[in-house]
Amino acid sequence: MKKLIGLSLLCFGLMATAQTKNDPKQLKFANIDVSPLDMVYYPLDAATGKNVTPIMKVTYSRPSSKGRAIFGNLVKYNEVWRFGANENTELKVFKPIKIDGKEIPAGCYSIYAIPGETEWTVIINKTTDVWGAYAYNTANDLVRVKVPATKLTSPMEYFSISFVKTDDGANMVAGWDTAQVSLPIQF
């Protein structure tokens, strides 16, 4: 009996596979992205659904180093960078925040950066839904903040963003390869 059930399941599986391969209605989906999309909320537990109201959310793609030299090479120093991969990184603000003393109203914005060896300029820009930094326009900048770049002792394979609580808000911390920056945000 067990052999009969096993043989039946095997035949059914082969028929289903054959139908999928030969079905002209079967949609061919895109391959998995090498820089997967991710998001991080502040507060961090806002994503858990535990009745925590989010203040902000960052949606970004996470490129990996793959043994490459990143800053100063793949990502050029002193040039605008999309702050991740693929589409530009977006910051959604659910209530007003302040960055470098400038009020940022609730809304959706893009984040760009100009990396340097010891200091980065982090940019909050009004343009969203664009791919990369190719359509970046300084006229749409809300705020530009210079922040120190910290050298990490061990490299990070994937570009990552998180938030760290502070007395008057949170720091958005981003790191990749051997560089890390922290953008102070007040609310």
Side-chain angles (χ1 to χ4, degrees), residues 17-185:
T17 302
Q19 287 177 347
T20 301
K21 287 183 179 177
N22 297 325
D23 187 352
K25 297 178 202 163
Q26 178 69 33
L27 179 64
K28 180 172 174 16
F29 291 95
N31 291 331
I32 294 175
D33 198 313
V34 295
S35 298
L37 190 64
D38 204 351
M39 67 179 63
V40 61
Y41 283 87
Y42 186 84
L44 295 174
D45 56 355
T48 64
K50 293 182 180 177
N51 295 327
V52 177
T53 304
I55 295 171
M56 56 192 154
K57 172 180 78 171
V58 176
T59 305
Y60 66 107
S61 288
R62 300 183 68 186
S64 62
S65 298
K66 298 180 192 170
R68 303 173 289 183
I70 302 302
F71 296 106
N73 187 32
L74 181 66
V75 176
K76 306 290 184 220
Y77 285 137
N78 304 313
E79 292 183 15
V80 174
W81 173 53
R82 68 184 96 190
F83 210 62
N86 303 330
E87 283 195 27
N88 62 312
T89 294
E90 291 189 354
L91 169 68
K92 184 170 185 176
V93 178
F94 297 95
K95 70 178 201 176
I97 61 172
K98 283 189 179 181
I99 297 176
D100 200 33
K102 169 124 174 132
E103 186 162 312
I104 309 295
C108 194
Y109 308 97
S110 55
I111 306 173
Y112 296 96
I114 301 172
E117 286 187 64
T118 60
E119 183 179 72
W120 288 23
T121 300
V122 178
I123 304 162
I124 307 299
N125 186 280
K126 292 183 276 189
T127 305
T128 59
D129 300 315
V130 295
W131 201 89
Y134 304 107
Y136 169 74
N137 183 342
T138 58
N140 294 320
D141 288 353
L142 286 173
V143 65
R144 288 174 156 240
V145 182
K146 290 189 183 286
V147 296
T150 304
K151 184 102 169 150
L152 300 173
T153 55
S154 59
M156 293 176 59
E157 177 65 23
Y158 291 93
F159 177 66
S160 300
I161 298 174
S162 192
F163 290 103
V164 176
K165 184 179 177 17
T166 63
D167 290 340
D168 62 349
N171 289 340
M172 181 182 69
V173 180
W176 190 24
D177 193 29
T178 58
Q180 180 173 291
V181 294
S182 183
L183 176 68
I185 301 171

